[in-house]
């Protein structure tokens, strides 16, 4: 009886260690953001989150967000309408973003399979946390930077 109990404890210990290693190994890692990296996105906009929906509570599920768009700072596509719907993983370990309703955000997103998606590595941030220089950059300089003929580094 004691042998079975020890084996069970040992197996639980190994399973716990394996789970911890998998969790740490799948942590979100982002490259350093530079100004010109925003040009690599399909759209960069300022908008207020008006609705959110969790599609699946499992770690591989997604959040769906609906944004009321105030300004589009950069796009290489033709996005029409004042509302954009985008998805993100529901786990920060998978670089998911957790936006709050009624807050104004700077959002960068890309199209995949006809849908917009975003991750934390794209530089999404609440507008109120950007300093004056970053707000000026997005409002006045991003469009020129992205439209220039110079190759992005």
């Amino acid at each position: 009886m004691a042998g079975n109990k020890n084996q069970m404890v040992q197996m639980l210990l190994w399973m716990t260690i394996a789970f911890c290693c998998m969790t740490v190994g799948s942590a979100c890692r982002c490259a350093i953001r530079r100004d010109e990296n925003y040009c690599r996105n399909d759209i960069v906009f300022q908008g207020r989150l008006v609705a959110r929906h969790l599609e699946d509570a499992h770690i591989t599920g997604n959040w769906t967000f609906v944004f009321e768009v105030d300004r589009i700072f950069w796009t290489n596509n033709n996005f029409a309408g004042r509302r954009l719907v985008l998805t993100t993983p529901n786990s920060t370990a998978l670089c998911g973003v957790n936006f709050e309703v009624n807050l104004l955000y700077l959002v960068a997103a890309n199209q995949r399979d006809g849908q917009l998606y975003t991750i934390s590595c794209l530089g999404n941030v609440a507008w109120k946390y950007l300093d004056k220089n970053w707000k000026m950059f997005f409002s006045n300089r991003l469009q020129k930077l992205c439209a220039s003929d110079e190759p992005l580094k």
Side-chain angles (χ1 to χ4, degrees):
M1 181 88 154
N4 285 343
K5 188 175 180 181
N6 285 340
Q7 287 177 332
M8 183 65 84
V9 169
Q10 205 171 28
M11 183 162 54
L12 284 172
L13 178 64
W14 282 114
M15 288 174 60
T16 302
I17 291 170
F19 178 75
C20 290
C21 290
M22 288 182 346
T23 304
V24 170
S26 66
C28 178
R29 292 186 179 100
C30 301
I32 296 172
R33 292 290 307 165
R34 296 191 330 225
D35 297 355
E36 61 270 7
N37 287 355
Y38 284 98
C39 299
R40 291 187 172 95
N41 297 301
D42 291 329
I43 188 168
V44 179
F45 67 93
Q46 178 192 53
R48 185 171 308 280
L49 182 66
V50 294
R52 58 191 262 164
H53 170 72
L54 182 59
E55 293 175 14
D56 183 358
H58 191 267
I59 193 167
T60 58
N62 289 318
W63 277 103
T64 299
F65 296 109
V66 179
F67 280 90
E68 187 76 32
V69 177
D70 289 350
R71 294 189 286 181
I72 294 177
F73 299 119
W74 162 250
T75 183
N76 62 9
N77 290 314
N78 188 15
F79 292 98
R82 300 284 303 153
R83 288 194 174 206
L84 291 176
V85 177
L86 55 101
T87 61
T88 190
N90 77 353
S91 168
T92 55
L94 299 174
C95 300
V97 185
N98 191 7
F99 296 108
E100 292 181 40
V101 175
N102 292 323
L103 236 111
L104 189 63
Y105 285 94
L106 168 75
V107 180
N110 292 296
Q111 258 187 327
R112 179 175 55 193
D113 300 327
Q115 289 187 313
L116 283 174
Y117 73 97
T118 192
I119 56 174
S120 59
C121 299
L122 297 183
N124 302 299
V125 65
W127 189 256
K128 68 181 180 181
Y129 295 128
L130 289 173
D131 69 23
K132 184 177 82 171
N133 292 331
W134 274 107
K135 289 178 181 178
M136 292 284 289
F137 168 75
F138 290 108
S139 299
N140 300 325
R141 296 195 314 264
L142 182 64
Q143 182 73 35
K144 291 175 190 166
L145 175 68
C146 296
S148 75
D149 291 335
E150 293 181 32
L152 298 176
K153 296 176 184 165

